[in-house]
Amino acid sequence: MGEMMTVFAAKMSQMDIKQIIKNVAFSWQLLLSDLFIGLDRPIINSAKIAPGVSSYVAPTQFPTTISAFSSFYAPPAPTREPQPALYDPVLNITFPLNLTDPNNIPDFDDDPVVYPPAPDSWKTRNHTLFVDTSLVQIEQIISGVAPISGGNCSKCLAALEVAQLAARVAPQLVPDAMVELCQRTKFASNTTCEENYSAHTFGAIWTQVLSLADVGGLDGHYICNELSSTFCSLPYASPLNTTNLFPKPKPENARAPEASGKRTKVLHMSDWHLDPRYSVNSEANCSSNLCCRSNVHNSQLGSEQISLEAPLYGWYSCDSPYYLIAAALQSIAPLTGTSDQDPFGFSIYTGDLVSHDPQTQLSRAYTEYAEVSLYSLFHQYVKGPIFAVLGNHDSNPEAIDAPHSLPGPLGQQLSWNYDHVAGLWQKDGWIDPTAAQEARIHYGAYSIKNNLGLRIITLNTDFWYKSNYLNYINTANPDVSGQQKFLINDLQAAEDAGERVWILGHVLPGWDGTNPLPNPTNLFYQIVDRYSPHVIANVFFGHTHEDELMIYYSNNGTVQNRQTAQTPGWIGPSLTPLTNLNSGFRMYEVDTGSFDIYEAYTFYADVNSFPKLDNTGPVFEFEYSTRQTYNTPEGWPASSPLNATYWHGVTEAMENNLTLVETFNTLQGKRSVKSPACNTTACQAAKICYLRSGSQPLGRKCTQGYGSVQSAFKPPS
């Protein structure tokens, strides 16, 4: 610090006092940031030379050269997000201002809803009377008037049996009936009941589930657990029959190929969550829903009062405004040391483009808008092909994807979205027509051999996400969509051709097990086991917004050591700060022969500094080098990749080094000042267990409550 002051003193004659004070203050800010603001946080050594510049200060002016933003309904301003007149080249339309106007946010959409067909024999019946009678019966079951033995789970299953008859007889009346039942029984607030069960939110989806699921069996247990964990416990994974699952047995002594020694840079972006309705100076600390919006408030204050004005670049309880997205995109090249002349070999995007609006404010058009906007921005700023996947927010209704096996039009109800993104990806030159057609058929997923010879296989992971309610139809089948059969076939073809593979998805199949369902992720684990380590080099996910990792082992993880560790699962950090996180992205150094990762660099911006920015944009900076930060005690040769063996060694080091776990926990939130400390042996054991859990059945065995750093840890009492 003394040396820094000497430099300032030497320049005093050339600078005014105000500028000196500003520089000193900024230096102190960086110093405090390095110390993580709190003494209970570990100091992370990031002295290694970054791949590009160590920090980048974004310009204050919004870029004027974005080709997709050729005209505006409202141009960018220091106190206003831009409202571009965005043209969709696939749909051949320009999105209207009322779709994203921050001052007039719509709360209803008239998108088509699809119901299961009612039998012809019931068309002449009094449907209203039938549904009203069903409601009375369900209320009697809930209240105990109708004697049902066995506790809450039995009551819930019995109520589902009654509801199923109503859904089959008069499906179009069921959403309103669900809203009424929810409100009358005070299952949730009146507003929440409308948001969850009205026809244009999730009511039509739940009607399909009620009509088609085995509500008295395994499906019913999953449905009741989703409604409330106090109704039925979450079922465990069903036994998986792997007989004839794979076309060929795994080759003996299967090994990863040798490295070529040639490296390329790969950018990993995830969960950018554009909020085109972001309202600068609105309430940033609202009491419910997505903050930094004109229609939200802090319930502790008067309606005209604001506790924290939404900064131009975002806040911890808000999604990404255009200004934050532009700043991040402008920082990528200088931070990663890439350029038009020396670009990334390729890039990946592991899903989630759309903001976290309540379902009442979402629509097909809003989803399509986010897809067009962000993909066009990526295309302009990130050179080379980008291989993208759909996230749970990249559909409408949110998280819903329908397997083609559903009857009639039900199996095609989300095809509008697959057609749209396939067209955008092909137009941008990221995938070829064959892969685009595959994406249209396979739920937005595709397989393609990229420009460097690596096969990329993408998945729509909504088919193992617990919030895709259509997954509660035929839960005993771990692959209702047929997507994992598609994965097996492509992996077998890759094995036969001697290809290396990266698998991309969004919702992680493991970690603490709170996001996915047991049966599909159990199957995925067996697939990774069968084709690792000789075919699958790495798998990648997003979704949690946090910087995490999973390790896949042989034999379903029954023995976990360096010899059985097979494949790492990288979980990319988000750009959105939601919730209580800093903004970030990552770059890998990858061998072009083995396609193993030899270094991973992560970059971030301190969201806590955003309200204090004055005449400058946010600072994106080098956060850490994976190899330097997590090097095992025995050392790890520079000639060896950051593979599953390396990562298991890291977890072994963590077992004897709580500080290393604290470091992981700090980086999990991208150095956010909001992250809770992991400084107990219970947290230490839980984090190690999560790192070693690549499926829901493994993750749920870990001590719960330490999985996310977005709020205080909630360990079991």
Side-chain angles (χ1 to χ4, degrees):
M1 190 67 189
E3 181 181 354
M4 181 181 69
M5 294 302 296
T6 300
V7 172
F8 282 149
K11 294 184 178 180
M12 186 170 293
S13 61
Q14 304 170 25
M15 303 171 64
D16 61 29
I17 298 298
K18 182 177 180 180
Q19 185 63 42
I20 293 173
I21 294 172
K22 188 173 182 179
N23 286 347
V24 172
F26 183 68
S27 298
W28 271 108
Q29 183 182 357
L30 291 179
L31 179 60
L32 290 173
S33 176
D34 286 341
L35 294 174
F36 300 102
I37 316 299
L39 296 177
D40 60 336
R41 300 179 185 275
I43 298 175
I44 298 169
N45 179 9
S46 58
K48 180 174 178 177
I49 297 175
V53 300
S54 60
S55 64
Y56 175 84
V57 182
T60 56
Q61 183 179 9
F62 194 82
T64 59
T65 57
I66 299 174
S67 57
F69 295 179
S70 58
S71 63
F72 292 88
Y73 297 117
T79 58
R80 183 182 63 212
E81 292 292 317
Q83 287 294 320
L86 194 64
Y87 173 73
D88 188 326
V90 172
L91 300 178
N92 193 27
I93 61 169
T94 297
F95 294 103
L97 174 61
N98 62 11
L99 183 66
T100 58
D101 184 355
N103 298 314
N104 296 284
I105 298 175
D107 58 4
F108 178 81
D109 74 81
D110 58 356
D111 288 341
V113 294
V114 187
Y115 293 101
D120 292 339
S121 59
W122 284 86
K123 287 184 178 179
T124 59
R125 301 295 181 96
N126 187 329
H127 292 173
T128 302
L129 178 61
F130 188 91
V131 172
D132 288 345
T133 303
S134 299
L135 281 179
V136 172
Q137 292 176 321
I138 292 172
E139 285 189 280
Q140 289 176 340
I141 292 171
I142 293 171
S143 64
V145 173
I148 302 293
S149 60
N152 286 347
C153 188
S154 296
K155 287 183 178 181
C156 181
L157 295 174
L160 290 180
E161 296 272 14
V162 177
Q164 183 168 74
L165 284 175
R168 290 177 173 177
V169 170
Q172 294 186 351
L173 299 182
V174 169
D176 286 345
M178 286 190 289
V179 172
E180 182 180 348
L181 179 66
C182 176
Q183 293 176 343
R184 279 179 10 194
T185 59
K186 300 189 184 303
F187 183 66
S189 70
N190 287 352
T191 300
T192 300
C193 291
E194 290 280 354
E195 289 179 354
N196 289 349
Y197 303 113
S198 68
H200 282 269
T201 58
F202 297 104
I205 299 299
W206 274 118
T207 303
Q208 296 175 39
V209 174
L210 289 171
S211 177
L212 299 171
D214 177 14
V215 296
L218 184 63
D219 293 352
H221 282 79
Y222 275 104
I223 294 167
C224 289
N225 176 264
E226 173 60 30
L227 292 173
S228 173
S229 60
T230 65
F231 292 169
C232 293
S233 59
L234 179 67
Y236 286 91
S238 305
L240 179 64
N241 182 5
T242 58
T243 304
N244 300 321
L245 179 62
F246 302 110
K248 297 178 182 179
K250 186 172 184 175
E252 294 185 9
N253 302 316
R255 297 180 182 276
E258 295 294 325
S260 68
K262 297 179 181 179
R263 305 282 173 84
T264 190
K265 293 178 177 180
V266 177
L267 177 67
H268 184 180
M269 303 178 289
S270 194
D271 296 86
W272 281 43
H273 289 285
L274 165 66
D275 185 4
R277 297 166 173 167
Y278 189 99
S279 180
V280 179
N281 296 331
S282 64
E283 179 58 72
N285 285 331
C286 64
S287 301
S288 62
N289 293 327
L290 184 63
C291 299
C292 302
R293 292 288 188 86
S294 62
N295 61 344
V296 296
H297 307 282
N298 186 317
S299 61
Q300 304 299 313
L301 302 174
S303 59
E304 301 300 320
Q305 294 178 294
I306 291 179
S307 62
L308 175 65
E309 292 184 344
L312 185 63
Y313 294 95
W315 188 243
Y316 289 118
S317 49
C318 314
D319 270 328
S320 305
Y322 268 121
Y323 269 92
L324 175 61
I325 286 170
L329 288 170
Q330 291 174 97
S331 76
I332 287 173
L335 287 172
T336 58
T338 56
S339 64
D340 290 354
Q341 294 73 38
D342 185 19
F344 296 109
F346 61 95
S347 300
I348 60 175
Y349 186 81
T350 48
D352 269 6
L353 307 162
V354 183
S355 56
H356 292 79
D357 291 59
Q359 185 57 47
T360 52
Q361 298 172 12
L362 296 172
S363 64
R364 289 186 182 184
Y366 190 69
T367 301
E368 291 162 341
Y369 175 98
E371 292 166 350
V372 172
S373 183
L374 280 177
Y375 290 150
S376 64
L377 287 168
F378 294 166
H379 181 70
Q380 178 158 341
Y381 280 94
V382 181
K383 303 306 178 185
I386 301 175
F387 301 101
V389 302
L390 290 174
N392 60 294
H393 285 272
D394 304 332
S395 65
N396 190 67
E398 178 208 330
I400 302 301
D401 278 278
H404 297 327
S405 57
L406 293 183
L410 302 183
Q412 302 298 323
Q413 59 190 301
L414 272 300
S415 292
W416 59 271
N417 197 30
Y418 314 142
D419 292 342
H420 189 243
V421 293
L424 292 174
W425 295 335
Q426 182 179 345
K427 173 191 170 294
D428 285 331
W430 299 342
I431 61 175
D432 58 28
T434 301
Q437 182 59 22
E438 197 169 52
R440 292 182 177 94
I441 297 170
H442 290 289
Y443 316 102
Y446 56 89
S447 171
I448 188 169
K449 191 171 183 177
N450 79 358
N451 50 311
L452 297 177
L454 172 69
R455 181 158 296 279
I456 304 280
I457 303 177
T458 71
L459 299 174
N460 185 332
T461 53
D462 277 354
F463 289 109
W464 62 50
Y465 186 37
K466 67 178 185 179
S467 294
N468 180 8
Y469 306 131
L470 295 177
N471 287 335
Y472 298 127
I473 301 170
N474 196 9
T475 52
N477 183 348
D479 189 25
V480 175
S481 69
Q483 188 175 213
Q484 301 208 59
K485 181 180 180 181
F486 156 79
L487 174 62
I488 290 171
N489 291 340
D490 274 22
L491 286 171
Q492 185 60 58
E495 181 180 82
D496 294 343
E499 296 174 343
R500 288 287 269 174
V501 169
W502 281 14
I503 299 174
L504 313 182
H506 177 68
V507 177
L508 61 168
W511 186 248
D512 62 356
T514 56
N515 285 286
L517 293 170
N519 290 341
T521 61
N522 186 34
L523 173 58
F524 179 73
Y525 201 102
Q526 312 310 312
I527 295 171
V528 173
D529 182 355
R530 163 62 183 85
Y531 292 99
S532 294
H534 59 303
V535 177
I536 302 172
N538 293 280
V539 294
F540 302 86
F541 303 99
H543 184 64
T544 65
H545 299 184
E546 301 176 29
D547 184 346
E548 299 163 338
L549 188 125
M550 303 174 298
I551 306 167
Y552 287 86
Y553 300 86
S554 60
N555 298 316
N556 205 28
T558 51
V559 177
Q560 297 179 341
N561 56 40
R562 295 194 189 194
Q563 288 69 44
T564 62
Q566 297 201 97
T567 305
W570 302 80
I571 302 164
S574 69
L575 185 75
T576 181
L578 198 73
T579 302
N580 293 331
L581 302 168
N582 283 332
S583 297
F585 56 88
R586 178 178 293 141
M587 185 193 77
Y588 305 107
E589 287 185 357
V590 179
D591 184 87
T592 58
S594 66
F595 292 100
D596 286 321
I597 292 170
Y598 279 76
E599 181 59 285
Y601 301 105
T602 306
F603 310 89
Y604 81 112
D606 179 14
V607 174
N608 198 49
S609 70
F610 289 0
K612 300 184 286 289
L613 293 176
D614 182 22
N615 298 321
T616 180
V619 179
F620 276 86
E621 57 189 302
F622 174 61
E623 184 182 17
Y624 75 101
S625 148
T626 297
R627 182 177 290 273
Q628 181 187 28
T629 301
Y630 295 123
N631 201 13
T632 57
E634 300 82 4
W636 189 255
S639 58
S640 297
L642 305 182
N643 57 17
T645 305
Y646 165 84
W647 278 109
H648 184 83
V650 171
T651 64
E652 288 178 332
M654 286 179 170
E655 290 176 323
N656 300 308
N657 187 346
L658 178 58
T659 300
L660 191 59
V661 179
E662 291 181 86
T663 295
F664 179 90
N665 184 80
T666 297
L667 297 176
Q668 188 177 339
K670 293 160 279 182
R671 303 194 187 206
S672 172
V673 298
K674 302 277 190 177
S675 297
C678 181
N679 52 14
T680 66
T681 55
C683 183
Q684 176 184 24
K687 295 284 186 183
I688 294 169
C689 188
Y690 302 154
L691 281 159
R692 294 174 177 175
S693 298
S695 69
Q696 193 277 348
L698 291 175
R700 74 183 297 179
K701 293 179 182 179
C702 304
T703 300
Q704 296 298 298
Y706 297 101
S708 173
V709 297
Q710 296 178 35
S711 61
F713 293 137
K714 299 175 183 177
S717 55

